[in-house]
Every structure is written in C-alpha cells, then in structure tokens.
Amino acid sequence: MLLLVVSRGICYPHTKTGSQPAGQVERTFPHAHQSEHIKGVDMKTFDEILTQVGEFGTYQKRLLFLIFLPSAMTAFLTLSGVFTLYIPPHRCAVPGLSNDTYAIQGDNHRRLVNLTIPIKDGAYSKCDVYTDDVTDLAKRADNSSQSQCGEWVYDKSMFTSTITEDLNLVCDNKVMRSHSNMAVMAGKLVGSFGQGLVSDIFGRKKSFMMSLCVMICVGFLNYVIQDFASLIIIRFLNGVGSTSVYIATFILGMELVAPSKRLYPGNLVLFFWVTGMLLMSGVVYFIRDWHNYVLTLACAPVLFLCYWWFIPESPRWLISKGRFDEAEVIIRKFAKVNKTTVPENMFDGKYVEETKAPTGKLSELLTNRTLAIRSFILFFHWAVCSLTYYGLTLNVTNLSGNVITNFVLSALVEVAGYLLTLFLLDRVGRKWLHCGFFLGGGLACLATIFPVLYAGEDAKWTLVLLSLIGKMGASGAFATVYIYTAELFPTPVRNVGLGAGSMCSRLGGVISPYIVDLGILVEGGFGEALPLMVFGGAAVLAGVLTFFLPETLNQDLPETIEDAKNIGRTRAKSASNVYEMRKSLDGRDIAVFALSIKNRD
C-alpha cells in the first residue's frame, strides 16, 4: 500500500512512530508537571501523542479545511495573468480619428479604415498604417508606403479592458507579456526559499500570517500597474506572495495530522488549488474590467486575517522549540474536540528529537554511469512537468473559442489527472503510469497539427480537446514525478536529488511563457498549434526516456549507491517500512515527500 502526500512543489514527511529510531537523540527538558505518568503511556514524539489525541480527528479536519482555504486564493495571483494579460483582437488606430473603435461603426468609418489600414492575411494590419495621402479608395495599392503605428484599437467583446490594452503590449512589445509571466515564475522560486526560512524561525502560524499579509498587499498592488516596470515588479511579487502562502498553509496543515493519515489532506490541497482556478473564472465571467477584477480578487484573502484568533500554532513546531506548556494547551484542545483523553503529565521530561535524513552530495550520483543517466533523465522530467503544466495552462488564451470556458475545462481535466494518479499508481506502477502520462499528453499535443492542416474552422474544437488531454497528462506526470524520483535516489543523496529536481522544475516554469507566446509571434493556424507541438515534443521525449528507468513499485527504497544501481533487478522483501525524505534548499532541510510502502511477496 502506498501513501502519497504530494503538493505543487512541496510535500511533507511521513515519519515513523513507535520505538526510537537509530540515530535519534533523547533530550531532557525540565517541565512543570512531574506527576507519575499514566501506566502504559510512553509518548516521546509528537506522532505518538497524536495516536492518543486523534490522528485525524474532528478538530484536525475543521482546522485543515480552514487552513487550506487560503491556498485556493494562491491561484489568483499565479494565474490571473491568463485574463489580465489576454491579448484581444486588435488593429492599428486610424491616425487622427480620436473616437476610432475596433468594431466598424458604419460605411464612412469603414472607408476611413480601408484608406489608412492595410489588409494582411484577410484582416486589418495589427502593426502598420499607410503613410501616403491617398483619399480615393480605388487608387489605394498594396505597395503603398507603410510605417508602424503607435496607437491601437481593441475588441471589447471579451473584456472591456486588459493590462495588455492599457500598456499596448502588442507588435514589437509582444515579448513584454512573456517577460511578465516569467517574473511570476521567478517570484515563485524566491518565495519557496524565503518561506521555509521564515517558518523555521518564527513558527508556522506567524509565517502564514506574514505571508498572507504579503499576498493581500501584492493583490491590491496589482490595481496600480501603470507601466512595464511596475508590471514586472508586481508580477514578481505575485509569485513570491502566492507561493509563500501555499507552502505556509501546507506545512501548518500537515503538521497537525499523523503520518498515516497525511494521504487525505496531502491530496485535498490540490483540489483547493483547482477550486481557486474555478473561482477566479467565475469572477472574471461577471467582471470584465481588469482593474475591478484584480481588486475583487485582492479583497477575498482579507477575510483570512481573522485566522490569527482561530488557528493555533503547530504543536509539533512548539515542541521542537522546547515550548511544551504552549504545545500542551493546544494538544488538550485536540483531545477535547476529538473526545479523547491524554495523561495528566503529557511529557515525562524526555522528548525524542526526530533526526534529519542523511544527506550527501549530488556529485556522488555522477560517480556511476547508470545513476548519472537516471539523474539527468529525472531532472529533465521535472523541467518538462513544469514546462508543460504551466505552459498549457497559460496557452488557453491562444486557443480558439471562449478563453474563460477553455480555462475552466483546463482546471477540470487537472482534477481528472490527479484522480487517475491516485487510482492507478499502485496498480499500473510508477514507471508505466509516469510514462503513460507523458506519452499520452505529448502525443495529443503533437496531434494538434492535423486539425490545423486538414480541418476547417468548424473542427477547431478538436485542437482544444487535444490540448486538454495534454494538460491532463501534464498534471498526472507532475503528481507522479515526486514519488518516482524519491524511490530511485539512494538515501544519502535523496535530499539533494529532490531539491535539484525541484530547481529544474522552476527553470521549466520560467521558460514556459516564452513557448506559449510563440503562437503570437507566428500568425495563422500554425501559430496556434506551434506551442502545443513544442510542449508535446518535450513530453514525448520525456516519456521515451522513461523506458531507460527501472520500475520501483514494491521495491525497497535504496539505502546505498549500490542499492540504487540494483533497483528492479531483485524483488523486495516482505516488510512494512516508513521513510522520511527531505530536500535541502539554501542549506536548509525542507520536508518534501512522504512515503509508506507495504511490500508484497
């Protein structure tokens, strides 16, 4: 049986309870209560305490629901650019016509537009105007002198205003949109570093509240974007704020639950993320002006400031800091709501510190040819997962049809990918499921060239369908790459291996906006399919490379380099093991994965 605790870029360890593991240190703390310990109760770790007060009781369920609600709001800052940076149909404005509009207002308006705006590929030019003084339409020739225009008019049928319109991010400024989306991904990288450090120093609750305040402030800052410099800076802060809150809620939530129960909340947070995507779609359906849209989204997280009075600090963190009295108050609240009992003297003066997993250098993997090849394949997988996931999400603006509908469908197929992972991971195996997600999603994206070349306008829905299949594959591959990587790396380098993979995924996310906007640089139907073909080619290559990796289902986790080399060559022994996997970022250990395997003969 496998317990998978996975989130978007962060997971939490499933630590073993019971006897003191080798290498752990017993610390003695003076405590106010020195009465005799209840017979039969010997609690030295927080996980053992949870077995008494409730591993996943009513109190934890209530708290988790409240704690994970803000994680839905993180999708607002990360993905709002899909709508606010939407590039609507547009053309050059008629020079000197102050009340020009994209929609033709009458015959006289049409005549002025035809006299001043060239027609290219059956549509009015988006970037050029005629520069001569011809006033007779019959004398207008295609070879008339032209120059690039400096003003544009935009179609208002989808959105009444966008940042793209206000800043004129079109023609030579098209790439600016890619830069702004890249800034969000760069901010997410910085946010993931900073949040872990703040959380360890100030505590889970305080770090969450600080991150929430940052996210709220950044949300309102979106309203004042007025030039490209402010756009880049604020979009970068969007990434920092959203990732900080997401990680803070996940860590706080996971530390309230016993290891054996982390499967449920660990996957629940993914569905809160998707819920956030659906909520922002509903808001934009009714609010089509970008200023009012971002202002509405910014107001929602303000409600969570009241959490300061309702959400407790993590007892696990308090105990790790030796603040036993504060932890005991919270733990007794657990027991009261869960209708369980705890001994009068909860701590007998001794507490076992959970030790960190052994760490090594990534270069150790390069000492062996087999492991070096596997490492490079896995790092490529991480980059492709992020590249295709975020790329296909942003690419809904380039597809035909309604962008809001496309975005909603993209969120729903993401749910399908997660459900397939949960259902098939222990049945199909890690290798073949991971490979299937890559190949299935990648081939679907590559197949988009056929509707472009051979189908008419009435069959463009097939391109959208194939793109959605690709998104489902990307979501599933992202969910499986965590466990597959953890099971392939040996214990001494598992920490740094997962950390390196996570860094590669960030690089894939940074690149994805530029791939998406290839569809803008290349006009016509081929431009609509080009980003999907690039994503598809990368996913198919990743899927093919999976054939060079071994299956890890029902295998013991490798403890040494030699064990890792022999994965797949020997069957696992019958055993039940729990392993802790962590990644090291900036010299700090951050829990990233939880795994419990019951091997079968």
Side-chain angles (χ1 to χ4, degrees), residues 102-134:
Y102 181 81
I104 300 299
Q105 302 300 317
D107 292 339
N108 188 48
H109 186 210
R110 187 187 309 277
R111 178 177 174 276
L112 287 174
V113 173
N114 288 333
L115 278 172
T116 55
I117 310 298
I119 295 179
K120 297 181 178 180
D121 299 324
Y124 291 115
S125 175
K126 297 179 179 179
C127 301
D128 299 312
V129 294
Y130 290 122
T131 57
D132 51 30
D133 296 327
V134 174

PDB file of all heavy atoms in Angstrom, residues 102-134:
ATOM      1  N   TYR A 102     -12.569  49.396 -32.586  1.00  0.00           N
ATOM      2  CA  TYR A 102     -12.254  48.182 -33.343  1.00  0.00           C
ATOM      3  C   TYR A 102     -13.442  47.764 -34.207  1.00  0.00           C
ATOM      4  O   TYR A 102     -13.270  47.364 -35.354  1.00  0.00           O
ATOM      5  CB  TYR A 102     -11.882  47.058 -32.377  1.00  0.00           C
ATOM      6  CG  TYR A 102     -11.513  45.770 -33.070  1.00  0.00           C
ATOM      7  CD1 TYR A 102     -10.242  45.585 -33.594  1.00  0.00           C
ATOM      8  CD2 TYR A 102     -12.443  44.733 -33.202  1.00  0.00           C
ATOM      9  CE1 TYR A 102      -9.906  44.405 -34.242  1.00  0.00           C
ATOM     10  CE2 TYR A 102     -12.102  43.552 -33.836  1.00  0.00           C
ATOM     11  CZ  TYR A 102     -10.830  43.392 -34.361  1.00  0.00           C
ATOM     12  OH  TYR A 102     -10.504  42.232 -35.007  1.00  0.00           O
ATOM     13  N   ALA A 103     -14.625  47.834 -33.642  1.00  0.00           N
ATOM     14  CA  ALA A 103     -15.823  47.489 -34.405  1.00  0.00           C
ATOM     15  C   ALA A 103     -16.130  48.596 -35.412  1.00  0.00           C
ATOM     16  O   ALA A 103     -16.043  49.780 -35.099  1.00  0.00           O
ATOM     17  CB  ALA A 103     -17.002  47.292 -33.466  1.00  0.00           C
ATOM     18  N   ILE A 104     -16.474  48.208 -36.637  1.00  0.00           N
ATOM     19  CA  ILE A 104     -16.818  49.170 -37.683  1.00  0.00           C
ATOM     20  C   ILE A 104     -18.190  49.773 -37.381  1.00  0.00           C
ATOM     21  O   ILE A 104     -19.172  49.051 -37.185  1.00  0.00           O
ATOM     22  CB  ILE A 104     -16.824  48.496 -39.067  1.00  0.00           C
ATOM     23  CG1 ILE A 104     -15.431  47.930 -39.372  1.00  0.00           C
ATOM     24  CG2 ILE A 104     -17.262  49.480 -40.135  1.00  0.00           C
ATOM     25  CD1 ILE A 104     -14.340  48.958 -39.420  1.00  0.00           C
ATOM     26  N   GLN A 105     -18.249  51.124 -37.328  1.00  0.00           N
ATOM     27  CA  GLN A 105     -19.462  51.830 -36.918  1.00  0.00           C
ATOM     28  C   GLN A 105     -20.394  52.184 -38.071  1.00  0.00           C
ATOM     29  O   GLN A 105     -21.540  52.547 -37.849  1.00  0.00           O
ATOM     30  CB  GLN A 105     -19.082  53.100 -36.164  1.00  0.00           C
ATOM     31  CG  GLN A 105     -18.220  52.858 -34.941  1.00  0.00           C
ATOM     32  CD  GLN A 105     -18.910  51.958 -33.925  1.00  0.00           C
ATOM     33  OE1 GLN A 105     -20.102  52.112 -33.648  1.00  0.00           O
ATOM     34  NE2 GLN A 105     -18.165  50.998 -33.390  1.00  0.00           N
ATOM     35  N   GLY A 106     -19.911  52.122 -39.282  1.00  0.00           N
ATOM     36  CA  GLY A 106     -20.755  52.482 -40.434  1.00  0.00           C
ATOM     37  C   GLY A 106     -19.921  52.551 -41.692  1.00  0.00           C
ATOM     38  O   GLY A 106     -18.710  52.287 -41.694  1.00  0.00           O
ATOM     39  N   ASP A 107     -20.561  52.928 -42.804  1.00  0.00           N
ATOM     40  CA  ASP A 107     -19.874  52.958 -44.097  1.00  0.00           C
ATOM     41  C   ASP A 107     -18.743  53.977 -44.113  1.00  0.00           C
ATOM     42  O   ASP A 107     -17.671  53.714 -44.679  1.00  0.00           O
ATOM     43  CB  ASP A 107     -20.873  53.263 -45.213  1.00  0.00           C
ATOM     44  CG  ASP A 107     -21.870  52.137 -45.426  1.00  0.00           C
ATOM     45  OD1 ASP A 107     -21.542  50.994 -45.014  1.00  0.00           O
ATOM     46  OD2 ASP A 107     -22.955  52.384 -45.974  1.00  0.00           O
ATOM     47  N   ASN A 108     -18.968  55.140 -43.528  1.00  0.00           N
ATOM     48  CA  ASN A 108     -17.924  56.162 -43.523  1.00  0.00           C
ATOM     49  C   ASN A 108     -16.711  55.720 -42.700  1.00  0.00           C
ATOM     50  O   ASN A 108     -15.552  55.926 -43.095  1.00  0.00           O
ATOM     51  CB  ASN A 108     -18.476  57.473 -42.969  1.00  0.00           C
ATOM     52  CG  ASN A 108     -17.497  58.616 -43.106  1.00  0.00           C
ATOM     53  OD1 ASN A 108     -16.924  58.819 -44.191  1.00  0.00           O
ATOM     54  ND2 ASN A 108     -17.285  59.370 -42.036  1.00  0.00           N
ATOM     55  N   HIS A 109     -16.999  55.082 -41.574  1.00  0.00           N
ATOM     56  CA  HIS A 109     -15.923  54.546 -40.739  1.00  0.00           C
ATOM     57  C   HIS A 109     -15.154  53.468 -41.491  1.00  0.00           C
ATOM     58  O   HIS A 109     -13.916  53.418 -41.469  1.00  0.00           O
ATOM     59  CB  HIS A 109     -16.490  53.998 -39.438  1.00  0.00           C
ATOM     60  CG  HIS A 109     -15.446  53.551 -38.463  1.00  0.00           C
ATOM     61  ND1 HIS A 109     -15.667  52.536 -37.561  1.00  0.00           N
ATOM     62  CD2 HIS A 109     -14.179  53.976 -38.238  1.00  0.00           C
ATOM     63  CE1 HIS A 109     -14.581  52.355 -36.825  1.00  0.00           C
ATOM     64  NE2 HIS A 109     -13.664  53.223 -37.220  1.00  0.00           N
ATOM     65  N   ARG A 110     -15.878  52.608 -42.181  1.00  0.00           N
ATOM     66  CA  ARG A 110     -15.240  51.533 -42.939  1.00  0.00           C
ATOM     67  C   ARG A 110     -14.320  52.117 -44.009  1.00  0.00           C
ATOM     68  O   ARG A 110     -13.223  51.621 -44.247  1.00  0.00           O
ATOM     69  CB  ARG A 110     -16.309  50.642 -43.577  1.00  0.00           C
ATOM     70  CG  ARG A 110     -15.738  49.380 -44.250  1.00  0.00           C
ATOM     71  CD  ARG A 110     -16.830  48.639 -45.014  1.00  0.00           C
ATOM     72  NE  ARG A 110     -17.998  48.421 -44.180  1.00  0.00           N
ATOM     73  CZ  ARG A 110     -18.119  47.405 -43.321  1.00  0.00           C
ATOM     74  NH1 ARG A 110     -17.122  46.555 -43.187  1.00  0.00           N
ATOM     75  NH2 ARG A 110     -19.214  47.273 -42.604  1.00  0.00           N
ATOM     76  N   ARG A 111     -14.794  53.185 -44.680  1.00  0.00           N
ATOM     77  CA  ARG A 111     -13.997  53.813 -45.739  1.00  0.00           C
ATOM     78  C   ARG A 111     -12.697  54.372 -45.168  1.00  0.00           C
ATOM     79  O   ARG A 111     -11.621  54.205 -45.750  1.00  0.00           O
ATOM     80  CB  ARG A 111     -14.808  54.919 -46.407  1.00  0.00           C
ATOM     81  CG  ARG A 111     -14.056  55.685 -47.493  1.00  0.00           C
ATOM     82  CD  ARG A 111     -14.956  56.710 -48.150  1.00  0.00           C
ATOM     83  NE  ARG A 111     -14.191  57.517 -49.081  1.00  0.00           N
ATOM     84  CZ  ARG A 111     -13.473  58.580 -48.751  1.00  0.00           C
ATOM     85  NH1 ARG A 111     -13.429  58.971 -47.478  1.00  0.00           N
ATOM     86  NH2 ARG A 111     -12.799  59.252 -49.673  1.00  0.00           N
ATOM     87  N   LEU A 112     -12.763  55.030 -44.005  1.00  0.00           N
ATOM     88  CA  LEU A 112     -11.561  55.590 -43.387  1.00  0.00           C
ATOM     89  C   LEU A 112     -10.571  54.489 -42.999  1.00  0.00           C
ATOM     90  O   LEU A 112      -9.351  54.634 -43.184  1.00  0.00           O
ATOM     91  CB  LEU A 112     -11.945  56.407 -42.151  1.00  0.00           C
ATOM     92  CG  LEU A 112     -12.608  57.757 -42.386  1.00  0.00           C
ATOM     93  CD1 LEU A 112     -13.061  58.352 -41.062  1.00  0.00           C
ATOM     94  CD2 LEU A 112     -11.656  58.706 -43.104  1.00  0.00           C
ATOM     95  N   VAL A 113     -11.094  53.419 -42.457  1.00  0.00           N
ATOM     96  CA  VAL A 113     -10.231  52.303 -42.060  1.00  0.00           C
ATOM     97  C   VAL A 113      -9.560  51.689 -43.279  1.00  0.00           C
ATOM     98  O   VAL A 113      -8.346  51.418 -43.279  1.00  0.00           O
ATOM     99  CB  VAL A 113     -11.031  51.241 -41.280  1.00  0.00           C
ATOM    100  CG1 VAL A 113     -10.181  50.002 -41.019  1.00  0.00           C
ATOM    101  CG2 VAL A 113     -11.542  51.807 -39.969  1.00  0.00           C
ATOM    102  N   ASN A 114     -10.315  51.484 -44.351  1.00  0.00           N
ATOM    103  CA  ASN A 114      -9.748  50.886 -45.564  1.00  0.00           C
ATOM    104  C   ASN A 114      -8.702  51.783 -46.211  1.00  0.00           C
ATOM    105  O   ASN A 114      -7.749  51.300 -46.832  1.00  0.00           O
ATOM    106  CB  ASN A 114     -10.855  50.587 -46.569  1.00  0.00           C
ATOM    107  CG  ASN A 114     -11.714  49.425 -46.133  1.00  0.00           C
ATOM    108  OD1 ASN A 114     -11.266  48.539 -45.398  1.00  0.00           O
ATOM    109  ND2 ASN A 114     -12.971  49.396 -46.580  1.00  0.00           N
ATOM    110  N   LEU A 115      -8.855  53.097 -46.063  1.00  0.00           N
ATOM    111  CA  LEU A 115      -7.896  54.031 -46.642  1.00  0.00           C
ATOM    112  C   LEU A 115      -6.587  54.083 -45.866  1.00  0.00           C
ATOM    113  O   LEU A 115      -5.527  54.366 -46.445  1.00  0.00           O
ATOM    114  CB  LEU A 115      -8.504  55.449 -46.694  1.00  0.00           C
ATOM    115  CG  LEU A 115      -9.437  55.763 -47.864  1.00  0.00           C
ATOM    116  CD1 LEU A 115     -10.101  57.117 -47.664  1.00  0.00           C
ATOM    117  CD2 LEU A 115      -8.672  55.726 -49.183  1.00  0.00           C
ATOM    118  N   THR A 116      -6.630  53.807 -44.576  1.00  0.00           N
ATOM    119  CA  THR A 116      -5.447  54.015 -43.740  1.00  0.00           C
ATOM    120  C   THR A 116      -4.817  52.741 -43.184  1.00  0.00           C
ATOM    121  O   THR A 116      -3.640  52.763 -42.805  1.00  0.00           O
ATOM    122  CB  THR A 116      -5.803  54.914 -42.543  1.00  0.00           C
ATOM    123  OG1 THR A 116      -6.918  54.343 -41.838  1.00  0.00           O
ATOM    124  CG2 THR A 116      -6.191  56.313 -43.016  1.00  0.00           C
ATOM    125  N   ILE A 117      -5.561  51.649 -43.133  1.00  0.00           N
ATOM    126  CA  ILE A 117      -5.039  50.416 -42.534  1.00  0.00           C
ATOM    127  C   ILE A 117      -4.884  49.333 -43.607  1.00  0.00           C
ATOM    128  O   ILE A 117      -5.865  48.970 -44.254  1.00  0.00           O
ATOM    129  CB  ILE A 117      -5.956  49.895 -41.407  1.00  0.00           C
ATOM    130  CG1 ILE A 117      -6.296  51.015 -40.423  1.00  0.00           C
ATOM    131  CG2 ILE A 117      -5.292  48.720 -40.701  1.00  0.00           C
ATOM    132  CD1 ILE A 117      -5.104  51.606 -39.708  1.00  0.00           C
ATOM    133  N   PRO A 118      -3.691  48.808 -43.837  1.00  0.00           N
ATOM    134  CA  PRO A 118      -3.501  47.728 -44.810  1.00  0.00           C
ATOM    135  C   PRO A 118      -4.228  46.456 -44.381  1.00  0.00           C
ATOM    136  O   PRO A 118      -4.471  46.233 -43.190  1.00  0.00           O
ATOM    137  CB  PRO A 118      -1.992  47.516 -44.821  1.00  0.00           C
ATOM    138  CG  PRO A 118      -1.405  48.720 -44.165  1.00  0.00           C
ATOM    139  CD  PRO A 118      -2.433  49.212 -43.196  1.00  0.00           C
ATOM    140  N   ILE A 119      -4.574  45.650 -45.342  1.00  0.00           N
ATOM    141  CA  ILE A 119      -5.182  44.353 -45.079  1.00  0.00           C
ATOM    142  C   ILE A 119      -4.125  43.280 -45.321  1.00  0.00           C
ATOM    143  O   ILE A 119      -3.551  43.200 -46.408  1.00  0.00           O
ATOM    144  CB  ILE A 119      -6.416  44.112 -45.972  1.00  0.00           C
ATOM    145  CG1 ILE A 119      -7.519  45.109 -45.614  1.00  0.00           C
ATOM    146  CG2 ILE A 119      -6.921  42.675 -45.803  1.00  0.00           C
ATOM    147  CD1 ILE A 119      -8.766  44.974 -46.455  1.00  0.00           C
ATOM    148  N   LYS A 120      -3.876  42.452 -44.313  1.00  0.00           N
ATOM    149  CA  LYS A 120      -2.890  41.395 -44.396  1.00  0.00           C
ATOM    150  C   LYS A 120      -3.506  40.092 -43.925  1.00  0.00           C
ATOM    151  O   LYS A 120      -4.073  40.027 -42.836  1.00  0.00           O
ATOM    152  CB  LYS A 120      -1.656  41.731 -43.546  1.00  0.00           C
ATOM    153  CG  LYS A 120      -0.916  42.983 -44.008  1.00  0.00           C
ATOM    154  CD  LYS A 120       0.318  43.245 -43.148  1.00  0.00           C
ATOM    155  CE  LYS A 120       1.067  44.478 -43.651  1.00  0.00           C
ATOM    156  NZ  LYS A 120       2.274  44.764 -42.829  1.00  0.00           N
ATOM    157  N   ASP A 121      -3.406  39.066 -44.758  1.00  0.00           N
ATOM    158  CA  ASP A 121      -3.970  37.747 -44.441  1.00  0.00           C
ATOM    159  C   ASP A 121      -5.454  37.836 -44.137  1.00  0.00           C
ATOM    160  O   ASP A 121      -5.966  37.173 -43.223  1.00  0.00           O
ATOM    161  CB  ASP A 121      -3.234  37.109 -43.263  1.00  0.00           C
ATOM    162  CG  ASP A 121      -1.763  36.876 -43.550  1.00  0.00           C
ATOM    163  OD1 ASP A 121      -1.444  36.542 -44.705  1.00  0.00           O
ATOM    164  OD2 ASP A 121      -0.941  37.038 -42.627  1.00  0.00           O
ATOM    165  N   GLY A 122      -6.151  38.688 -44.885  1.00  0.00           N
ATOM    166  CA  GLY A 122      -7.602  38.784 -44.754  1.00  0.00           C
ATOM    167  C   GLY A 122      -8.086  39.590 -43.572  1.00  0.00           C
ATOM    168  O   GLY A 122      -9.282  39.591 -43.281  1.00  0.00           O
ATOM    169  N   ALA A 123      -7.200  40.290 -42.871  1.00  0.00           N
ATOM    170  CA  ALA A 123      -7.596  41.098 -41.714  1.00  0.00           C
ATOM    171  C   ALA A 123      -6.812  42.407 -41.721  1.00  0.00           C
ATOM    172  O   ALA A 123      -5.749  42.515 -42.341  1.00  0.00           O
ATOM    173  CB  ALA A 123      -7.344  40.338 -40.416  1.00  0.00           C
ATOM    174  N   TYR A 124      -7.351  43.395 -41.043  1.00  0.00           N
ATOM    175  CA  TYR A 124      -6.655  44.669 -40.951  1.00  0.00           C
ATOM    176  C   TYR A 124      -5.343  44.481 -40.186  1.00  0.00           C
ATOM    177  O   TYR A 124      -5.265  43.716 -39.220  1.00  0.00           O
ATOM    178  CB  TYR A 124      -7.522  45.709 -40.235  1.00  0.00           C
ATOM    179  CG  TYR A 124      -8.727  46.150 -41.028  1.00  0.00           C
ATOM    180  CD1 TYR A 124     -10.018  45.878 -40.586  1.00  0.00           C
ATOM    181  CD2 TYR A 124      -8.578  46.841 -42.230  1.00  0.00           C
ATOM    182  CE1 TYR A 124     -11.129  46.277 -41.315  1.00  0.00           C
ATOM    183  CE2 TYR A 124      -9.681  47.246 -42.968  1.00  0.00           C
ATOM    184  CZ  TYR A 124     -10.950  46.955 -42.510  1.00  0.00           C
ATOM    185  OH  TYR A 124     -12.044  47.354 -43.235  1.00  0.00           O
ATOM    186  N   SER A 125      -4.321  45.207 -40.621  1.00  0.00           N
ATOM    187  CA  SER A 125      -2.995  45.085 -40.031  1.00  0.00           C
ATOM    188  C   SER A 125      -3.023  45.455 -38.554  1.00  0.00           C
ATOM    189  O   SER A 125      -3.669  46.415 -38.142  1.00  0.00           O
ATOM    190  CB  SER A 125      -2.000  45.975 -40.772  1.00  0.00           C
ATOM    191  OG  SER A 125      -0.743  45.950 -40.128  1.00  0.00           O
ATOM    192  N   LYS A 126      -2.262  44.684 -37.784  1.00  0.00           N
ATOM    193  CA  LYS A 126      -2.157  44.947 -36.345  1.00  0.00           C
ATOM    194  C   LYS A 126      -1.035  45.929 -36.022  1.00  0.00           C
ATOM    195  O   LYS A 126      -1.002  46.475 -34.912  1.00  0.00           O
ATOM    196  CB  LYS A 126      -1.916  43.635 -35.591  1.00  0.00           C
ATOM    197  CG  LYS A 126      -3.044  42.635 -35.723  1.00  0.00           C
ATOM    198  CD  LYS A 126      -2.722  41.345 -34.981  1.00  0.00           C
ATOM    199  CE  LYS A 126      -3.854  40.340 -35.089  1.00  0.00           C
ATOM    200  NZ  LYS A 126      -3.557  39.074 -34.390  1.00  0.00           N
ATOM    201  N   CYS A 127      -0.131  46.129 -36.981  1.00  0.00           N
ATOM    202  CA  CYS A 127       1.064  46.906 -36.645  1.00  0.00           C
ATOM    203  C   CYS A 127       1.418  48.010 -37.647  1.00  0.00           C
ATOM    204  O   CYS A 127       2.302  48.822 -37.353  1.00  0.00           O
ATOM    205  CB  CYS A 127       2.269  45.978 -36.521  1.00  0.00           C
ATOM    206  SG  CYS A 127       2.085  44.694 -35.259  1.00  0.00           S
ATOM    207  N   ASP A 128       0.774  48.069 -38.804  1.00  0.00           N
ATOM    208  CA  ASP A 128       1.166  49.034 -39.842  1.00  0.00           C
ATOM    209  C   ASP A 128       0.003  49.887 -40.300  1.00  0.00           C
ATOM    210  O   ASP A 128      -1.161  49.443 -40.285  1.00  0.00           O
ATOM    211  CB  ASP A 128       1.767  48.305 -41.044  1.00  0.00           C
ATOM    212  CG  ASP A 128       3.015  47.527 -40.684  1.00  0.00           C
ATOM    213  OD1 ASP A 128       3.880  48.108 -40.014  1.00  0.00           O
ATOM    214  OD2 ASP A 128       3.115  46.340 -41.053  1.00  0.00           O
ATOM    215  N   VAL A 129       0.333  51.109 -40.752  1.00  0.00           N
ATOM    216  CA  VAL A 129      -0.643  52.013 -41.364  1.00  0.00           C
ATOM    217  C   VAL A 129      -0.032  52.582 -42.643  1.00  0.00           C
ATOM    218  O   VAL A 129       1.195  52.617 -42.810  1.00  0.00           O
ATOM    219  CB  VAL A 129      -1.012  53.182 -40.415  1.00  0.00           C
ATOM    220  CG1 VAL A 129      -1.746  52.687 -39.197  1.00  0.00           C
ATOM    221  CG2 VAL A 129       0.227  53.974 -40.025  1.00  0.00           C
ATOM    222  N   TYR A 130      -0.910  53.026 -43.571  1.00  0.00           N
ATOM    223  CA  TYR A 130      -0.432  53.723 -44.771  1.00  0.00           C
ATOM    224  C   TYR A 130       0.045  55.116 -44.376  1.00  0.00           C
ATOM    225  O   TYR A 130      -0.521  55.767 -43.488  1.00  0.00           O
ATOM    226  CB  TYR A 130      -1.550  53.843 -45.803  1.00  0.00           C
ATOM    227  CG  TYR A 130      -1.937  52.521 -46.448  1.00  0.00           C
ATOM    228  CD1 TYR A 130      -3.251  52.050 -46.364  1.00  0.00           C
ATOM    229  CD2 TYR A 130      -1.013  51.764 -47.149  1.00  0.00           C
ATOM    230  CE1 TYR A 130      -3.625  50.852 -46.963  1.00  0.00           C
ATOM    231  CE2 TYR A 130      -1.374  50.559 -47.751  1.00  0.00           C
ATOM    232  CZ  TYR A 130      -2.681  50.116 -47.649  1.00  0.00           C
ATOM    233  OH  TYR A 130      -3.045  48.931 -48.239  1.00  0.00           O
ATOM    234  N   THR A 131       1.093  55.561 -45.076  1.00  0.00           N
ATOM    235  CA  THR A 131       1.651  56.882 -44.752  1.00  0.00           C
ATOM    236  C   THR A 131       1.417  57.920 -45.846  1.00  0.00           C
ATOM    237  O   THR A 131       1.764  59.089 -45.651  1.00  0.00           O
ATOM    238  CB  THR A 131       3.170  56.752 -44.515  1.00  0.00           C
ATOM    239  OG1 THR A 131       3.795  56.177 -45.682  1.00  0.00           O
ATOM    240  CG2 THR A 131       3.450  55.891 -43.299  1.00  0.00           C
ATOM    241  N   ASP A 132       0.825  57.519 -46.984  1.00  0.00           N
ATOM    242  CA  ASP A 132       0.584  58.488 -48.053  1.00  0.00           C
ATOM    243  C   ASP A 132      -0.756  59.193 -47.844  1.00  0.00           C
ATOM    244  O   ASP A 132      -1.497  58.888 -46.908  1.00  0.00           O
ATOM    245  CB  ASP A 132       0.626  57.813 -49.429  1.00  0.00           C
ATOM    246  CG  ASP A 132      -0.266  56.583 -49.498  1.00  0.00           C
ATOM    247  OD1 ASP A 132      -1.292  56.556 -48.793  1.00  0.00           O
ATOM    248  OD2 ASP A 132       0.058  55.643 -50.245  1.00  0.00           O
ATOM    249  N   ASP A 133      -1.065  60.128 -48.743  1.00  0.00           N
ATOM    250  CA  ASP A 133      -2.269  60.942 -48.597  1.00  0.00           C
ATOM    251  C   ASP A 133      -3.366  60.546 -49.572  1.00  0.00           C
ATOM    252  O   ASP A 133      -4.191  61.384 -49.968  1.00  0.00           O
ATOM    253  CB  ASP A 133      -1.917  62.427 -48.827  1.00  0.00           C
ATOM    254  CG  ASP A 133      -0.961  62.948 -47.772  1.00  0.00           C
ATOM    255  OD1 ASP A 133      -1.054  62.470 -46.627  1.00  0.00           O
ATOM    256  OD2 ASP A 133      -0.125  63.805 -48.105  1.00  0.00           O
ATOM    257  N   VAL A 134      -3.420  59.293 -49.980  1.00  0.00           N
ATOM    258  CA  VAL A 134      -4.451  58.837 -50.916  1.00  0.00           C
ATOM    259  C   VAL A 134      -5.824  58.952 -50.266  1.00  0.00           C
ATOM    260  O   VAL A 134      -6.023  58.501 -49.137  1.00  0.00           O
ATOM    261  CB  VAL A 134      -4.180  57.382 -51.346  1.00  0.00           C
ATOM    262  CG1 VAL A 134      -5.331  56.854 -52.200  1.00  0.00           C
ATOM    263  CG2 VAL A 134      -2.871  57.287 -52.094  1.00  0.00           C
TER     264      VAL A 134
END
